[in-house]
Amino acid sequence: MDRLVKADVKEVEIAYKRGQKCTTTFRLTNLMHTMSVAVSLTTTNPSLFSFNQLYSIIPPLSCSSYTLILSQPSDKPPLSSAPDAITVKSSMLPTGKAHQDDLRRLFSRPGPHVFKDARIPISFVGPHVIEFLISQHTQIPEISSFFSKAVSGCSRYQLSTLLKSAVISGNAYLVTNLIDNGADVNNKDLDGRSMIFLAVKAGNINVMRVLIASGCKIDDSIDRVLHEAASMNRVDLIELLITTFKNCIDVNSVDSNGRTPIHHAASRGHAQVIQFYESFGGARTDIFDRNGCSPLHLAAENGHLEAVKCLLDCSDYIKYAVNREGKTAFTLAVDKSHAHLYDLLQLGDALQRAARVDDVHGMKCCLAEGARVNGRDQNGWTPLHRAAFKGKIESVRVLINHGAKVDAADDAGYTPLQCAVVAGHVEVALLLIGQGAKANSKSLKQLRPLKLDCFKNHPSLLVHPVNYEKEQA
């Protein structure tokens, strides 16, 4: 006979609870038909575990219950790579009776009279164990082993609650396993928001993919997932959301403040998000929130240069819109002293207008306030292009004195000198040449030469016609 008693479990499970003394009960059965058996219980970690009885006597073919006690309450489960275990030893007891001291002496003497009947592993189960595993992320190498045991002590409701924590932590492994073990993927948080929202907030695209593959749904009117992703500058999350939920998600949806996802991106300066929305059909940059602010207002107020540039590329006229306080984006930038935005939002336009009408004083004021002397309009024209084309020689002088580039090329490749020549302004052309402008910047093979009598004494000025349509009234 290789053993005298048999345990009713292959593994003892303790339902762990933080800071509490935890216990569990198991039974041993005497396999002997006619003789009582003495039993001794020990653990691999006696400082951590104890029993309600270390030594006992089990009558023939009878059972006895034992309580394992986690005698040191703690804030985290005492998990170890080598699980603790109970060792069960037994010895035949012909008399059927013995005092505790007698039993202690019996098992203290080695010999063939003592049987090592069982080694029962101890595992910790329940939601508190899984909470601990979630909090540790992937710092525990044996996390899969601990999880597979701990999950057996959880109800479906507990698993669904734990799923929220796993999603927030960004642990795709635990999210997958909680769902596989029965967690409700469409469980909501206290505010009625979906697991997808929690994953977006955590910024974990792998968890999002797990949830989507498991059938997680969203309610766009509550979740506002695009707003959250835009606030985080996560184009990858936005693309996945739009691709997956294209039939139930609105890229122009507004939150309680009347703001779209682009409002959120603009207020934080997330130019990449704005560019993505610009390339995505249907996304609008001209929606106003409850305060009458467009995304451009918010970007300007917060001084976000790249965001302002992107928004102006989407819609140039929006810079003239006013909010409920009657303020344009430029006014808000001035209020916050964001001088680097002045040219884009207003001064650049004012400088272009002043150059066109030869308003020297207006140009000087614009330049003094922060207008860029080499700033460009939608066609790539600088103020010098415009002054040269109009033949405004005083304006040309002022612009050059303030650092205007005489050979700046517009979007079609034309310089201020070419603009002056095609419009017949010889004095301006000569002034530009005197300031270092190159006379031959276009190949004669590309465009037909313009022959003007006024340039017959200056053959080097024969250039090619610019697009007159570029000049705006």
Side-chain angles (χ1 to χ4, degrees):
M1 177 177 292
D2 57 353
R3 61 178 176 171
L4 304 180
V5 297
K6 178 182 178 182
D8 65 337
V9 292
K10 293 183 178 180
E11 189 166 8
V12 171
E13 296 181 344
I14 294 182
Y16 169 78
K17 296 181 180 179
R18 283 189 302 271
Q20 297 184 28
K21 183 179 289 187
C22 309
T23 64
T24 187
T25 301
F26 62 98
R27 292 187 305 167
L28 297 176
T29 301
N30 182 354
L31 301 177
M32 303 295 289
H33 289 259
T34 59
M35 189 176 297
S36 295
V37 171
V39 173
S40 166
L41 300 177
T42 58
T43 69
T44 52
N45 195 342
S47 64
L48 187 63
F49 300 100
S50 60
F51 295 94
N52 63 330
Q53 50 182 333
L54 292 177
Y55 304 103
S56 63
I57 300 172
I58 307 176
L61 297 179
S62 298
C63 298
S64 183
S65 295
Y66 301 87
T67 301
L68 175 67
I69 304 167
L70 178 61
S71 53
Q72 293 185 4
S74 63
D75 291 333
K76 60 181 182 180
L79 305 177
S80 60
S81 55
D84 290 309
I86 300 169
T87 299
V88 180
K89 294 181 180 180
S90 63
S91 181
M92 290 183 286
L93 193 64
T95 62
K97 295 180 181 181
H99 294 292
Q100 288 292 306
D101 290 341
D102 296 329
L103 295 177
R104 184 179 296 107
R105 285 191 292 269
L106 175 66
F107 287 105
S108 65
R109 301 193 312 269
H113 63 285
V114 176
F115 292 79
K116 187 176 180 180
D117 280 345
R119 187 179 188 279
I120 311 173
I122 302 171
S123 62
F124 295 93
V125 302
H128 288 197
V129 179
I130 296 181
E131 283 182 2
F132 172 74
L133 296 176
I134 291 172
S135 70
Q136 299 299 302
H137 298 285
T138 57
Q139 297 178 22
I140 303 177
E142 302 83 6
I143 191 170
S144 59
S145 174
F146 294 136
F147 176 87
S148 62
K149 295 174 182 177
V151 74
S152 65
C154 300
S155 66
R156 189 169 188 267
Y157 172 79
Q158 290 172 328
L159 292 175
S160 300
T161 302
L162 291 165
L163 180 59
K164 299 174 191 175
S165 299
V167 169
I168 293 171
S169 76
N171 193 317
Y173 168 81
L174 289 178
V175 169
T176 300
N177 280 275
L178 285 167
I179 295 172
D180 289 345
N181 281 276
D184 182 5
V185 73
N186 284 305
N187 191 26
K188 308 289 185 180
D189 70 6
L190 295 177
D191 296 316
R193 294 174 300 197
S194 70
M195 294 290 175
I196 293 287
F197 171 83
L198 298 179
V200 171
K201 192 173 183 65
N204 194 301
I205 195 167
N206 291 328
V207 170
M208 284 181 60
R209 291 192 175 106
V210 170
L211 293 172
I212 290 169
S214 301
C216 188
K217 301 176 182 178
I218 65 169
D219 183 344
D220 191 34
S221 65
I222 297 175
D223 288 322
R224 303 296 182 205
V225 285
L226 290 180
H227 293 74
E228 190 68 30
S231 297
M232 298 166 60
N233 200 25
R234 291 295 298 273
V235 173
D236 56 337
L237 302 185
I238 295 172
E239 186 173 12
L240 178 59
L241 288 166
I242 292 175
T243 302
T244 304
F245 301 105
K246 57 185 177 183
N247 295 324
C248 59
I249 203 168
D250 181 5
V251 295
N252 294 311
S253 64
V254 296
D255 61 14
S256 58
N257 293 315
R259 295 182 175 181
T260 66
I262 294 183
H263 277 93
H264 284 255
S267 67
R268 291 166 175 80
H270 298 328
Q272 287 183 328
V273 172
I274 298 171
Q275 289 172 341
F276 176 81
Y277 274 112
E278 181 184 5
S279 64
F280 183 83
R284 295 171 53 190
T285 59
D286 58 351
I287 294 176
F288 300 88
D289 67 12
R290 292 187 181 275
N291 294 319
C293 290
S294 68
L296 182 63
H297 282 97
L298 301 182
E301 185 176 29
N302 290 286
H304 299 309
L305 176 61
E306 294 304 317
V308 167
K309 288 180 179 178
C310 289
L311 291 165
L312 290 177
D313 287 341
C314 298
S315 173
D316 188 58
Y317 77 87
I318 199 67
K319 72 169 73 172
Y320 307 111
V322 296
N323 63 13
R324 289 192 174 180
E325 295 179 351
K327 295 184 177 182
T328 63
F330 173 76
T331 307
L332 292 175
V334 172
D335 289 346
K336 298 293 185 178
S337 300
H338 297 313
H340 60 292
L341 300 180
Y342 295 172
D343 182 81
L344 279 173
L345 294 173
Q346 180 171 307
L347 294 181
D349 292 345
L351 181 60
Q352 291 274 3
R353 287 194 297 269
R356 186 175 72 239
V357 300
D358 205 27
D359 180 3
V360 172
H361 176 73
M363 285 194 299
K364 290 181 177 179
C365 289
C366 289
L367 291 168
E369 291 176 8
R372 293 182 301 159
V373 70
N374 292 305
R376 299 174 180 271
D377 67 8
Q378 66 272 23
N379 296 309
W381 272 31
T382 66
L384 187 58
H385 279 90
R386 198 168 297 281
F389 187 80
K390 285 292 188 179
K392 309 300 183 182
I393 194 164
E394 289 304 317
S395 293
V396 170
R397 285 196 178 97
V398 169
L399 292 168
I400 291 175
N401 289 337
H402 281 80
K405 296 179 179 178
V406 295
D407 283 324
D410 68 5
D411 292 348
Y414 294 100
T415 66
L417 176 59
Q418 289 174 292
C419 292
V421 170
V422 75
H425 301 305
V426 65
E427 291 185 12
V428 172
L430 290 173
L431 172 61
L432 290 168
I433 290 175
Q435 294 296 322
K438 296 177 181 179
N440 295 313
S441 59
K442 286 286 185 181
S443 170
L444 293 177
K445 296 180 180 180
Q446 293 177 316
L447 296 171
R448 61 184 175 80
L450 176 67
K451 298 178 180 179
L452 298 173
D453 291 340
C454 59
F455 290 102
K456 61 186 178 180
N457 294 325
H458 304 281
S460 62
L461 298 184
L462 293 180
V463 294
H464 307 285
V466 297
N467 185 354
Y468 277 76
E469 295 179 358
K470 287 182 179 291
E471 176 61 14
Q472 300 180 6

